[in-house]
Amino acid sequence: EAQVTQNPRYLITVTGKKLTVTCSQNMNHEYMSWYRQDPGLGLRQIYYSMNVEVTDKGDVPEGYKVSRKEKRNFPLILESPSPNQTSLYFCASSFQRALNSPLHFGNGTRLTVT
Amino acid sequence: SQQGEEDPQALSIQEGENATMNCSYKTSINNLQWYRQNSGRGLVHLILIRSNEREKHSGRLRVTLDTSKKSSSLLITASRAADTASYFCATDAVFYSGAGSYQLTFGKGTKLSVIP
């Protein structure tokens, strides 16, 4: 089944403790992206990747890192999480770099930083 | 980056009625997409309309695009309780060079409630 898989689904952590949210897609998509969703602010893009070893900042990249060493994986790293990073995170992928094709979303990771 | 804005923020209708949601955006686009999100779940793609298209249909969905007004509408006909969800429009952007951006920017969504 074609899908984008995020793990974990829920995560509670403390300020400053490094964490990684994994994202994997099995559709051989070139484009992958991370979004965060907050009430009243909608979805905001954190980072995106157009292909292996090619990443770029979105609208809210501060406090996050990503890597794209393999086509299928696009992990989101929070080196030192803070409470303002408490949010619902979504990974998404798309077949074409030009974004003329739909994004496929994972089921989300709900992160709480205390 | 530019952002689409949906209107209304919330909409409540009876089952069987039609639901219309609107999206406005600020700069030129290559395409506009509509997505649906059931409570707290991942977004699901509904329909993509290109800047040279004016109308597109998919089942009970009808999307229009007016590039002169920088706006789009999503019509759901004969709504069902299962259509209860949030609906988002998403746009890319066209740079002055004519190249398309690699960012897809989402609006804040319209929350649709369909009452059985």
Side-chain angles (χ1 to χ4, degrees), chain A residues 9 31 35 37 45 50 59 97 99-100 102-103 106, chain B residues 1 31 35 37 41-43 45 102-104 108:
Chain A
R9 186 82 172 89
Y31 182 93
Y35 290 87
Q37 186 176 29
Q45 191 174 43
M50 293 180 286
D59 297 318
R97 296 169 60 197
L99 294 180
N100 286 325
L103 278 174
Chain B
S1 62
N31 65 70
Y35 287 80
Q37 182 183 34
R41 306 293 291 183
L43 280 74
H45 179 260
Y102 294 110
Q103 288 186 260
L104 195 64
K108 295 177 184 177

mmCIF file with all atom_site columns, all heavy atoms in Angstrom, chain A residues 9 31 35 37 45 50 59 97 99-100 102-103 106, chain B residues 1 31 35 37 41-43 45 102-104 108:
data_model
loop_
_atom_site.group_PDB
_atom_site.id
_atom_site.type_symbol
_atom_site.label_atom_id
_atom_site.label_alt_id
_atom_site.label_comp_id
_atom_site.label_asym_id
_atom_site.label_entity_id
_atom_site.label_seq_id
_atom_site.pdbx_PDB_ins_code
_atom_site.Cartn_x
_atom_site.Cartn_y
_atom_site.Cartn_z
_atom_site.occupancy
_atom_site.B_iso_or_equiv
_atom_site.pdbx_formal_charge
_atom_site.auth_seq_id
_atom_site.auth_comp_id
_atom_site.auth_asym_id
_atom_site.auth_atom_id
_atom_site.pdbx_PDB_model_num
ATOM 1   N N   . ARG A 1 9   ? 3.562   8.340  16.719  1.00 0.00 ? 9   ARG A N   1
ATOM 2   C CA  . ARG A 1 9   ? 2.283   9.025  16.559  1.00 0.00 ? 9   ARG A CA  1
ATOM 3   C C   . ARG A 1 9   ? 2.093   10.086 17.642  1.00 0.00 ? 9   ARG A C   1
ATOM 4   O O   . ARG A 1 9   ? 1.562   11.157 17.387  1.00 0.00 ? 9   ARG A O   1
ATOM 5   C CB  . ARG A 1 9   ? 1.150   7.991  16.641  1.00 0.00 ? 9   ARG A CB  1
ATOM 6   C CG  . ARG A 1 9   ? -0.210  8.551  16.355  1.00 0.00 ? 9   ARG A CG  1
ATOM 7   C CD  . ARG A 1 9   ? -0.484  8.659  14.869  1.00 0.00 ? 9   ARG A CD  1
ATOM 8   N NE  . ARG A 1 9   ? -1.883  9.023  14.643  1.00 0.00 ? 9   ARG A NE  1
ATOM 9   C CZ  . ARG A 1 9   ? -2.311  10.293 14.580  1.00 0.00 ? 9   ARG A CZ  1
ATOM 10  N NH1 . ARG A 1 9   ? -1.464  11.280 14.726  1.00 0.00 ? 9   ARG A NH1 1
ATOM 11  N NH2 . ARG A 1 9   ? -3.590  10.545 14.374  1.00 0.00 ? 9   ARG A NH2 1
ATOM 12  N N   . TYR A 1 31  ? 9.984   14.583 -3.915  1.00 0.00 ? 31  TYR A N   1
ATOM 13  C CA  . TYR A 1 31  ? 9.749   15.737 -3.047  1.00 0.00 ? 31  TYR A CA  1
ATOM 14  C C   . TYR A 1 31  ? 9.194   15.279 -1.713  1.00 0.00 ? 31  TYR A C   1
ATOM 15  O O   . TYR A 1 31  ? 8.253   14.490 -1.653  1.00 0.00 ? 31  TYR A O   1
ATOM 16  C CB  . TYR A 1 31  ? 8.765   16.684 -3.734  1.00 0.00 ? 31  TYR A CB  1
ATOM 17  C CG  . TYR A 1 31  ? 8.463   17.958 -2.980  1.00 0.00 ? 31  TYR A CG  1
ATOM 18  C CD1 . TYR A 1 31  ? 9.181   19.122 -3.216  1.00 0.00 ? 31  TYR A CD1 1
ATOM 19  C CD2 . TYR A 1 31  ? 7.426   18.016 -2.050  1.00 0.00 ? 31  TYR A CD2 1
ATOM 20  C CE1 . TYR A 1 31  ? 8.897   20.296 -2.545  1.00 0.00 ? 31  TYR A CE1 1
ATOM 21  C CE2 . TYR A 1 31  ? 7.134   19.186 -1.374  1.00 0.00 ? 31  TYR A CE2 1
ATOM 22  C CZ  . TYR A 1 31  ? 7.875   20.327 -1.623  1.00 0.00 ? 31  TYR A CZ  1
ATOM 23  O OH  . TYR A 1 31  ? 7.591   21.489 -0.949  1.00 0.00 ? 31  TYR A OH  1
ATOM 24  N N   . TYR A 1 35  ? 5.561   19.802 7.794   1.00 0.00 ? 35  TYR A N   1
ATOM 25  C CA  . TYR A 1 35  ? 4.694   20.898 8.195   1.00 0.00 ? 35  TYR A CA  1
ATOM 26  C C   . TYR A 1 35  ? 4.388   20.766 9.678   1.00 0.00 ? 35  TYR A C   1
ATOM 27  O O   . TYR A 1 35  ? 4.388   19.677 10.227  1.00 0.00 ? 35  TYR A O   1
ATOM 28  C CB  . TYR A 1 35  ? 3.362   20.857 7.439   1.00 0.00 ? 35  TYR A CB  1
ATOM 29  C CG  . TYR A 1 35  ? 3.446   21.188 5.971   1.00 0.00 ? 35  TYR A CG  1
ATOM 30  C CD1 . TYR A 1 35  ? 3.731   20.199 5.032   1.00 0.00 ? 35  TYR A CD1 1
ATOM 31  C CD2 . TYR A 1 35  ? 3.231   22.475 5.516   1.00 0.00 ? 35  TYR A CD2 1
ATOM 32  C CE1 . TYR A 1 35  ? 3.806   20.495 3.678   1.00 0.00 ? 35  TYR A CE1 1
ATOM 33  C CE2 . TYR A 1 35  ? 3.294   22.783 4.164   1.00 0.00 ? 35  TYR A CE2 1
ATOM 34  C CZ  . TYR A 1 35  ? 3.578   21.782 3.257   1.00 0.00 ? 35  TYR A CZ  1
ATOM 35  O OH  . TYR A 1 35  ? 3.640   22.081 1.921   1.00 0.00 ? 35  TYR A OH  1
ATOM 36  N N   . GLN A 1 37  ? 1.241   22.058 12.364  1.00 0.00 ? 37  GLN A N   1
ATOM 37  C CA  . GLN A 1 37  ? -0.119  22.602 12.370  1.00 0.00 ? 37  GLN A CA  1
ATOM 38  C C   . GLN A 1 37  ? -0.467  23.059 13.764  1.00 0.00 ? 37  GLN A C   1
ATOM 39  O O   . GLN A 1 37  ? -0.402  22.275 14.725  1.00 0.00 ? 37  GLN A O   1
ATOM 40  C CB  . GLN A 1 37  ? -1.128  21.554 11.896  1.00 0.00 ? 37  GLN A CB  1
ATOM 41  C CG  . GLN A 1 37  ? -2.533  22.118 11.754  1.00 0.00 ? 37  GLN A CG  1
ATOM 42  C CD  . GLN A 1 37  ? -3.503  21.098 11.186  1.00 0.00 ? 37  GLN A CD  1
ATOM 43  O OE1 . GLN A 1 37  ? -3.353  19.893 11.358  1.00 0.00 ? 37  GLN A OE1 1
ATOM 44  N NE2 . GLN A 1 37  ? -4.513  21.582 10.476  1.00 0.00 ? 37  GLN A NE2 1
ATOM 45  N N   . GLN A 1 45  ? 5.062   25.385 6.650   1.00 0.00 ? 45  GLN A N   1
ATOM 46  C CA  . GLN A 1 45  ? 6.124   24.499 6.185   1.00 0.00 ? 45  GLN A CA  1
ATOM 47  C C   . GLN A 1 45  ? 7.407   24.734 6.964   1.00 0.00 ? 45  GLN A C   1
ATOM 48  O O   . GLN A 1 45  ? 7.843   25.874 7.136   1.00 0.00 ? 45  GLN A O   1
ATOM 49  C CB  . GLN A 1 45  ? 6.362   24.705 4.694   1.00 0.00 ? 45  GLN A CB  1
ATOM 50  C CG  . GLN A 1 45  ? 7.247   23.651 4.064   1.00 0.00 ? 45  GLN A CG  1
ATOM 51  C CD  . GLN A 1 45  ? 7.344   23.809 2.563   1.00 0.00 ? 45  GLN A CD  1
ATOM 52  O OE1 . GLN A 1 45  ? 7.480   24.914 2.053   1.00 0.00 ? 45  GLN A OE1 1
ATOM 53  N NE2 . GLN A 1 45  ? 7.258   22.703 1.838   1.00 0.00 ? 45  GLN A NE2 1
ATOM 54  N N   . MET A 1 50  ? 13.879  18.494 -2.290  1.00 0.00 ? 50  MET A N   1
ATOM 55  C CA  . MET A 1 50  ? 13.510  18.219 -3.682  1.00 0.00 ? 50  MET A CA  1
ATOM 56  C C   . MET A 1 50  ? 14.093  16.911 -4.189  1.00 0.00 ? 50  MET A C   1
ATOM 57  O O   . MET A 1 50  ? 13.648  16.390 -5.205  1.00 0.00 ? 50  MET A O   1
ATOM 58  C CB  . MET A 1 50  ? 13.956  19.382 -4.564  1.00 0.00 ? 50  MET A CB  1
ATOM 59  C CG  . MET A 1 50  ? 13.178  20.655 -4.274  1.00 0.00 ? 50  MET A CG  1
ATOM 60  S SD  . MET A 1 50  ? 13.681  22.023 -5.295  1.00 0.00 ? 50  MET A SD  1
ATOM 61  C CE  . MET A 1 50  ? 15.255  22.433 -4.566  1.00 0.00 ? 50  MET A CE  1
ATOM 62  N N   . ASP A 1 59  ? 8.943   28.047 5.872   1.00 0.00 ? 59  ASP A N   1
ATOM 63  C CA  . ASP A 1 59  ? 8.595   29.313 6.515   1.00 0.00 ? 59  ASP A CA  1
ATOM 64  C C   . ASP A 1 59  ? 8.998   29.385 7.991   1.00 0.00 ? 59  ASP A C   1
ATOM 65  O O   . ASP A 1 59  ? 9.202   30.467 8.522   1.00 0.00 ? 59  ASP A O   1
ATOM 66  C CB  . ASP A 1 59  ? 7.088   29.556 6.399   1.00 0.00 ? 59  ASP A CB  1
ATOM 67  C CG  . ASP A 1 59  ? 6.668   29.700 4.953   1.00 0.00 ? 59  ASP A CG  1
ATOM 68  O OD1 . ASP A 1 59  ? 7.395   30.375 4.193   1.00 0.00 ? 59  ASP A OD1 1
ATOM 69  O OD2 . ASP A 1 59  ? 5.626   29.137 4.572   1.00 0.00 ? 59  ASP A OD2 1
ATOM 70  N N   . ARG A 1 97  ? 8.831   17.237 -8.646  1.00 0.00 ? 97  ARG A N   1
ATOM 71  C CA  . ARG A 1 97  ? 9.491   18.367 -8.016  1.00 0.00 ? 97  ARG A CA  1
ATOM 72  C C   . ARG A 1 97  ? 8.735   19.659 -8.256  1.00 0.00 ? 97  ARG A C   1
ATOM 73  O O   . ARG A 1 97  ? 8.778   20.566 -7.451  1.00 0.00 ? 97  ARG A O   1
ATOM 74  C CB  . ARG A 1 97  ? 10.906  18.497 -8.550  1.00 0.00 ? 97  ARG A CB  1
ATOM 75  C CG  . ARG A 1 97  ? 11.792  17.320 -8.213  1.00 0.00 ? 97  ARG A CG  1
ATOM 76  C CD  . ARG A 1 97  ? 13.074  17.404 -8.989  1.00 0.00 ? 97  ARG A CD  1
ATOM 77  N NE  . ARG A 1 97  ? 13.797  18.620 -8.664  1.00 0.00 ? 97  ARG A NE  1
ATOM 78  C CZ  . ARG A 1 97  ? 14.774  19.110 -9.405  1.00 0.00 ? 97  ARG A CZ  1
ATOM 79  N NH1 . ARG A 1 97  ? 15.121  18.506 -10.513 1.00 0.00 ? 97  ARG A NH1 1
ATOM 80  N NH2 . ARG A 1 97  ? 15.395  20.204 -9.047  1.00 0.00 ? 97  ARG A NH2 1
ATOM 81  N N   . LEU A 1 99  ? 5.746   20.202 -8.141  1.00 0.00 ? 99  LEU A N   1
ATOM 82  C CA  . LEU A 1 99  ? 4.529   20.275 -7.330  1.00 0.00 ? 99  LEU A CA  1
ATOM 83  C C   . LEU A 1 99  ? 3.261   20.311 -8.158  1.00 0.00 ? 99  LEU A C   1
ATOM 84  O O   . LEU A 1 99  ? 2.256   20.832 -7.722  1.00 0.00 ? 99  LEU A O   1
ATOM 85  C CB  . LEU A 1 99  ? 4.566   21.476 -6.380  1.00 0.00 ? 99  LEU A CB  1
ATOM 86  C CG  . LEU A 1 99  ? 5.634   21.408 -5.298  1.00 0.00 ? 99  LEU A CG  1
ATOM 87  C CD1 . LEU A 1 99  ? 5.577   22.643 -4.432  1.00 0.00 ? 99  LEU A CD1 1
ATOM 88  C CD2 . LEU A 1 99  ? 5.471   20.168 -4.439  1.00 0.00 ? 99  LEU A CD2 1
ATOM 89  N N   . ASN A 1 100 ? 3.314   19.767 -9.377  1.00 0.00 ? 100 ASN A N   1
ATOM 90  C CA  . ASN A 1 100 ? 2.083   19.641 -10.144 1.00 0.00 ? 100 ASN A CA  1
ATOM 91  C C   . ASN A 1 100 ? 1.364   18.346 -9.831  1.00 0.00 ? 100 ASN A C   1
ATOM 92  O O   . ASN A 1 100 ? 0.475   17.932 -10.567 1.00 0.00 ? 100 ASN A O   1
ATOM 93  C CB  . ASN A 1 100 ? 2.389   19.709 -11.646 1.00 0.00 ? 100 ASN A CB  1
ATOM 94  C CG  . ASN A 1 100 ? 2.727   21.117 -12.070 1.00 0.00 ? 100 ASN A CG  1
ATOM 95  O OD1 . ASN A 1 100 ? 2.173   22.073 -11.557 1.00 0.00 ? 100 ASN A OD1 1
ATOM 96  N ND2 . ASN A 1 100 ? 3.642   21.239 -13.010 1.00 0.00 ? 100 ASN A ND2 1
ATOM 97  N N   . PRO A 1 102 ? -0.207  15.842 -6.434  1.00 0.00 ? 102 PRO A N   1
ATOM 98  C CA  . PRO A 1 102 ? -0.683  15.998 -5.063  1.00 0.00 ? 102 PRO A CA  1
ATOM 99  C C   . PRO A 1 102 ? 0.344   15.592 -4.014  1.00 0.00 ? 102 PRO A C   1
ATOM 100 O O   . PRO A 1 102 ? 1.214   14.756 -4.273  1.00 0.00 ? 102 PRO A O   1
ATOM 101 C CB  . PRO A 1 102 ? -1.892  15.070 -4.979  1.00 0.00 ? 102 PRO A CB  1
ATOM 102 C CG  . PRO A 1 102 ? -2.093  14.497 -6.310  1.00 0.00 ? 102 PRO A CG  1
ATOM 103 C CD  . PRO A 1 102 ? -0.942  14.836 -7.178  1.00 0.00 ? 102 PRO A CD  1
ATOM 104 N N   . LEU A 1 103 ? 0.213   16.199 -2.850  1.00 0.00 ? 103 LEU A N   1
ATOM 105 C CA  . LEU A 1 103 ? 0.987   15.779 -1.696  1.00 0.00 ? 103 LEU A CA  1
ATOM 106 C C   . LEU A 1 103 ? 0.275   14.629 -0.997  1.00 0.00 ? 103 LEU A C   1
ATOM 107 O O   . LEU A 1 103 ? -0.950  14.651 -0.840  1.00 0.00 ? 103 LEU A O   1
ATOM 108 C CB  . LEU A 1 103 ? 1.136   16.935 -0.698  1.00 0.00 ? 103 LEU A CB  1
ATOM 109 C CG  . LEU A 1 103 ? 2.219   17.974 -0.963  1.00 0.00 ? 103 LEU A CG  1
ATOM 110 C CD1 . LEU A 1 103 ? 2.104   19.093 0.050   1.00 0.00 ? 103 LEU A CD1 1
ATOM 111 C CD2 . LEU A 1 103 ? 3.601   17.352 -0.903  1.00 0.00 ? 103 LEU A CD2 1
ATOM 112 N N   . GLY A 1 106 ? 1.420   11.905 5.847   1.00 0.00 ? 106 GLY A N   1
ATOM 113 C CA  . GLY A 1 106 ? 1.403   10.928 6.912   1.00 0.00 ? 106 GLY A CA  1
ATOM 114 C C   . GLY A 1 106 ? 0.277   11.248 7.885   1.00 0.00 ? 106 GLY A C   1
ATOM 115 O O   . GLY A 1 106 ? -0.411  12.264 7.746   1.00 0.00 ? 106 GLY A O   1
ATOM 116 N N   . SER B 2 1   ? 6.184   33.933 2.412   1.00 0.00 ? 1   SER B N   1
ATOM 117 C CA  . SER B 2 1   ? 5.575   33.288 1.258   1.00 0.00 ? 1   SER B CA  1
ATOM 118 C C   . SER B 2 1   ? 4.079   33.571 1.255   1.00 0.00 ? 1   SER B C   1
ATOM 119 O O   . SER B 2 1   ? 3.489   33.847 2.288   1.00 0.00 ? 1   SER B O   1
ATOM 120 C CB  . SER B 2 1   ? 5.820   31.787 1.279   1.00 0.00 ? 1   SER B CB  1
ATOM 121 O OG  . SER B 2 1   ? 5.234   31.201 2.417   1.00 0.00 ? 1   SER B OG  1
ATOM 122 N N   . ASN B 2 31  ? -0.609  26.240 -9.857  1.00 0.00 ? 31  ASN B N   1
ATOM 123 C CA  . ASN B 2 31  ? -1.784  25.423 -9.607  1.00 0.00 ? 31  ASN B CA  1
ATOM 124 C C   . ASN B 2 31  ? -2.299  25.664 -8.197  1.00 0.00 ? 31  ASN B C   1
ATOM 125 O O   . ASN B 2 31  ? -1.595  26.206 -7.338  1.00 0.00 ? 31  ASN B O   1
ATOM 126 C CB  . ASN B 2 31  ? -1.498  23.935 -9.847  1.00 0.00 ? 31  ASN B CB  1
ATOM 127 C CG  . ASN B 2 31  ? -0.483  23.384 -8.865  1.00 0.00 ? 31  ASN B CG  1
ATOM 128 O OD1 . ASN B 2 31  ? -0.767  23.248 -7.689  1.00 0.00 ? 31  ASN B OD1 1
ATOM 129 N ND2 . ASN B 2 31  ? 0.708   23.063 -9.355  1.00 0.00 ? 31  ASN B ND2 1
ATOM 130 N N   . TYR B 2 35  ? -7.515  20.238 -0.174  1.00 0.00 ? 35  TYR B N   1
ATOM 131 C CA  . TYR B 2 35  ? -7.295  19.087 0.669   1.00 0.00 ? 35  TYR B CA  1
ATOM 132 C C   . TYR B 2 35  ? -8.370  19.033 1.743   1.00 0.00 ? 35  TYR B C   1
ATOM 133 O O   . TYR B 2 35  ? -8.944  20.048 2.122   1.00 0.00 ? 35  TYR B O   1
ATOM 134 C CB  . TYR B 2 35  ? -5.924  19.173 1.361   1.00 0.00 ? 35  TYR B CB  1
ATOM 135 C CG  . TYR B 2 35  ? -4.755  18.935 0.451   1.00 0.00 ? 35  TYR B CG  1
ATOM 136 C CD1 . TYR B 2 35  ? -4.273  19.953 -0.382  1.00 0.00 ? 35  TYR B CD1 1
ATOM 137 C CD2 . TYR B 2 35  ? -4.118  17.701 0.401   1.00 0.00 ? 35  TYR B CD2 1
ATOM 138 C CE1 . TYR B 2 35  ? -3.209  19.745 -1.227  1.00 0.00 ? 35  TYR B CE1 1
ATOM 139 C CE2 . TYR B 2 35  ? -3.036  17.480 -0.442  1.00 0.00 ? 35  TYR B CE2 1
ATOM 140 C CZ  . TYR B 2 35  ? -2.593  18.501 -1.247  1.00 0.00 ? 35  TYR B CZ  1
ATOM 141 O OH  . TYR B 2 35  ? -1.520  18.286 -2.088  1.00 0.00 ? 35  TYR B OH  1
ATOM 142 N N   . GLN B 2 37  ? -9.168  17.380 5.738   1.00 0.00 ? 37  GLN B N   1
ATOM 143 C CA  . GLN B 2 37  ? -8.566  16.818 6.929   1.00 0.00 ? 37  GLN B CA  1
ATOM 144 C C   . GLN B 2 37  ? -9.655  16.437 7.915   1.00 0.00 ? 37  GLN B C   1
ATOM 145 O O   . GLN B 2 37  ? -10.399 17.303 8.383   1.00 0.00 ? 37  GLN B O   1
ATOM 146 C CB  . GLN B 2 37  ? -7.605  17.808 7.594   1.00 0.00 ? 37  GLN B CB  1
ATOM 147 C CG  . GLN B 2 37  ? -6.906  17.247 8.820   1.00 0.00 ? 37  GLN B CG  1
ATOM 148 C CD  . GLN B 2 37  ? -6.018  18.265 9.502   1.00 0.00 ? 37  GLN B CD  1
ATOM 149 O OE1 . GLN B 2 37  ? -6.302  19.448 9.524   1.00 0.00 ? 37  GLN B OE1 1
ATOM 150 N NE2 . GLN B 2 37  ? -4.907  17.796 10.078  1.00 0.00 ? 37  GLN B NE2 1
ATOM 151 N N   . ARG B 2 41  ? -6.162  14.176 11.734  1.00 0.00 ? 41  ARG B N   1
ATOM 152 C CA  . ARG B 2 41  ? -5.519  13.200 10.848  1.00 0.00 ? 41  ARG B CA  1
ATOM 153 C C   . ARG B 2 41  ? -4.745  13.901 9.738   1.00 0.00 ? 41  ARG B C   1
ATOM 154 O O   . ARG B 2 41  ? -4.775  15.120 9.614   1.00 0.00 ? 41  ARG B O   1
ATOM 155 C CB  . ARG B 2 41  ? -6.580  12.280 10.229  1.00 0.00 ? 41  ARG B CB  1
ATOM 156 C CG  . ARG B 2 41  ? -7.482  11.610 11.231  1.00 0.00 ? 41  ARG B CG  1
ATOM 157 C CD  . ARG B 2 41  ? -6.756  10.617 12.092  1.00 0.00 ? 41  ARG B CD  1
ATOM 158 N NE  . ARG B 2 41  ? -6.340  9.439  11.330  1.00 0.00 ? 41  ARG B NE  1
ATOM 159 C CZ  . ARG B 2 41  ? -5.727  8.397  11.893  1.00 0.00 ? 41  ARG B CZ  1
ATOM 160 N NH1 . ARG B 2 41  ? -5.437  8.394  13.165  1.00 0.00 ? 41  ARG B NH1 1
ATOM 161 N NH2 . ARG B 2 41  ? -5.370  7.357  11.156  1.00 0.00 ? 41  ARG B NH2 1
ATOM 162 N N   . GLY B 2 42  ? -4.059  13.130 8.921   1.00 0.00 ? 42  GLY B N   1
ATOM 163 C CA  . GLY B 2 42  ? -3.322  13.695 7.800   1.00 0.00 ? 42  GLY B CA  1
ATOM 164 C C   . GLY B 2 42  ? -4.264  14.228 6.732   1.00 0.00 ? 42  GLY B C   1
ATOM 165 O O   . GLY B 2 42  ? -5.392  13.783 6.600   1.00 0.00 ? 42  GLY B O   1
ATOM 166 N N   . LEU B 2 43  ? -3.771  15.197 5.989   1.00 0.00 ? 43  LEU B N   1
ATOM 167 C CA  . LEU B 2 43  ? -4.584  15.777 4.922   1.00 0.00 ? 43  LEU B CA  1
ATOM 168 C C   . LEU B 2 43  ? -4.679  14.815 3.746   1.00 0.00 ? 43  LEU B C   1
ATOM 169 O O   . LEU B 2 43  ? -3.723  14.094 3.445   1.00 0.00 ? 43  LEU B O   1
ATOM 170 C CB  . LEU B 2 43  ? -3.984  17.103 4.458   1.00 0.00 ? 43  LEU B CB  1
ATOM 171 C CG  . LEU B 2 43  ? -4.272  18.314 5.333   1.00 0.00 ? 43  LEU B CG  1
ATOM 172 C CD1 . LEU B 2 43  ? -3.467  18.279 6.612   1.00 0.00 ? 43  LEU B CD1 1
ATOM 173 C CD2 . LEU B 2 43  ? -3.994  19.600 4.566   1.00 0.00 ? 43  LEU B CD2 1
ATOM 174 N N   . HIS B 2 45  ? -5.620  14.657 -0.352  1.00 0.00 ? 45  HIS B N   1
ATOM 175 C CA  . HIS B 2 45  ? -5.793  15.465 -1.549  1.00 0.00 ? 45  HIS B CA  1
ATOM 176 C C   . HIS B 2 45  ? -7.149  15.217 -2.189  1.00 0.00 ? 45  HIS B C   1
ATOM 177 O O   . HIS B 2 45  ? -7.592  14.068 -2.326  1.00 0.00 ? 45  HIS B O   1
ATOM 178 C CB  . HIS B 2 45  ? -4.689  15.115 -2.552  1.00 0.00 ? 45  HIS B CB  1
ATOM 179 C CG  . HIS B 2 45  ? -4.788  15.874 -3.830  1.00 0.00 ? 45  HIS B CG  1
ATOM 180 N ND1 . HIS B 2 45  ? -5.341  15.341 -4.977  1.00 0.00 ? 45  HIS B ND1 1
ATOM 181 C CD2 . HIS B 2 45  ? -4.422  17.134 -4.137  1.00 0.00 ? 45  HIS B CD2 1
ATOM 182 C CE1 . HIS B 2 45  ? -5.294  16.238 -5.932  1.00 0.00 ? 45  HIS B CE1 1
ATOM 183 N NE2 . HIS B 2 45  ? -4.741  17.328 -5.463  1.00 0.00 ? 45  HIS B NE2 1
ATOM 184 N N   . TYR B 2 102 ? 8.960   25.665 -5.095  1.00 0.00 ? 102 TYR B N   1
ATOM 185 C CA  . TYR B 2 102 ? 8.870   24.307 -4.601  1.00 0.00 ? 102 TYR B CA  1
ATOM 186 C C   . TYR B 2 102 ? 8.147   24.247 -3.273  1.00 0.00 ? 102 TYR B C   1
ATOM 187 O O   . TYR B 2 102 ? 8.183   23.250 -2.587  1.00 0.00 ? 102 TYR B O   1
ATOM 188 C CB  . TYR B 2 102 ? 10.265  23.705 -4.489  1.00 0.00 ? 102 TYR B CB  1
ATOM 189 C CG  . TYR B 2 102 ? 10.908  23.530 -5.840  1.00 0.00 ? 102 TYR B CG  1
ATOM 190 C CD1 . TYR B 2 102 ? 11.968  24.325 -6.220  1.00 0.00 ? 102 TYR B CD1 1
ATOM 191 C CD2 . TYR B 2 102 ? 10.411  22.603 -6.741  1.00 0.00 ? 102 TYR B CD2 1
ATOM 192 C CE1 . TYR B 2 102 ? 12.539  24.187 -7.465  1.00 0.00 ? 102 TYR B CE1 1
ATOM 193 C CE2 . TYR B 2 102 ? 10.977  22.453 -7.986  1.00 0.00 ? 102 TYR B CE2 1
ATOM 194 C CZ  . TYR B 2 102 ? 12.046  23.250 -8.339  1.00 0.00 ? 102 TYR B CZ  1
ATOM 195 O OH  . TYR B 2 102 ? 12.609  23.103 -9.577  1.00 0.00 ? 102 TYR B OH  1
ATOM 196 N N   . GLN B 2 103 ? 7.528   25.335 -2.897  1.00 0.00 ? 103 GLN B N   1
ATOM 197 C CA  . GLN B 2 103 ? 6.774   25.362 -1.650  1.00 0.00 ? 103 GLN B CA  1
ATOM 198 C C   . GLN B 2 103 ? 5.294   25.358 -1.961  1.00 0.00 ? 103 GLN B C   1
ATOM 199 O O   . GLN B 2 103 ? 4.830   26.051 -2.862  1.00 0.00 ? 103 GLN B O   1
ATOM 200 C CB  . GLN B 2 103 ? 7.102   26.620 -0.861  1.00 0.00 ? 103 GLN B CB  1
ATOM 201 C CG  . GLN B 2 103 ? 8.487   26.616 -0.254  1.00 0.00 ? 103 GLN B CG  1
ATOM 202 C CD  . GLN B 2 103 ? 8.692   27.816 0.642   1.00 0.00 ? 103 GLN B CD  1
ATOM 203 O OE1 . GLN B 2 103 ? 9.299   28.792 0.246   1.00 0.00 ? 103 GLN B OE1 1
ATOM 204 N NE2 . GLN B 2 103 ? 8.173   27.747 1.853   1.00 0.00 ? 103 GLN B NE2 1
ATOM 205 N N   . LEU B 2 104 ? 4.577   24.565 -1.208  1.00 0.00 ? 104 LEU B N   1
ATOM 206 C CA  . LEU B 2 104 ? 3.127   24.550 -1.298  1.00 0.00 ? 104 LEU B CA  1
ATOM 207 C C   . LEU B 2 104 ? 2.614   25.133 0.002   1.00 0.00 ? 104 LEU B C   1
ATOM 208 O O   . LEU B 2 104 ? 2.883   24.598 1.072   1.00 0.00 ? 104 LEU B O   1
ATOM 209 C CB  . LEU B 2 104 ? 2.627   23.119 -1.495  1.00 0.00 ? 104 LEU B CB  1
ATOM 210 C CG  . LEU B 2 104 ? 1.189   22.955 -1.948  1.00 0.00 ? 104 LEU B CG  1
ATOM 211 C CD1 . LEU B 2 104 ? 0.984   23.558 -3.323  1.00 0.00 ? 104 LEU B CD1 1
ATOM 212 C CD2 . LEU B 2 104 ? 0.810   21.473 -1.956  1.00 0.00 ? 104 LEU B CD2 1
ATOM 213 N N   . LYS B 2 108 ? -5.662  28.533 6.290   1.00 0.00 ? 108 LYS B N   1
ATOM 214 C CA  . LYS B 2 108 ? -5.991  28.089 7.644   1.00 0.00 ? 108 LYS B CA  1
ATOM 215 C C   . LYS B 2 108 ? -7.200  27.164 7.673   1.00 0.00 ? 108 LYS B C   1
ATOM 216 O O   . LYS B 2 108 ? -7.515  26.591 8.706   1.00 0.00 ? 108 LYS B O   1
ATOM 217 C CB  . LYS B 2 108 ? -6.228  29.306 8.539   1.00 0.00 ? 108 LYS B CB  1
ATOM 218 C CG  . LYS B 2 108 ? -4.971  30.127 8.716   1.00 0.00 ? 108 LYS B CG  1
ATOM 219 C CD  . LYS B 2 108 ? -5.218  31.371 9.529   1.00 0.00 ? 108 LYS B CD  1
ATOM 220 C CE  . LYS B 2 108 ? -3.937  32.195 9.572   1.00 0.00 ? 108 LYS B CE  1
ATOM 221 N NZ  . LYS B 2 108 ? -4.120  33.475 10.283  1.00 0.00 ? 108 LYS B NZ  1
#
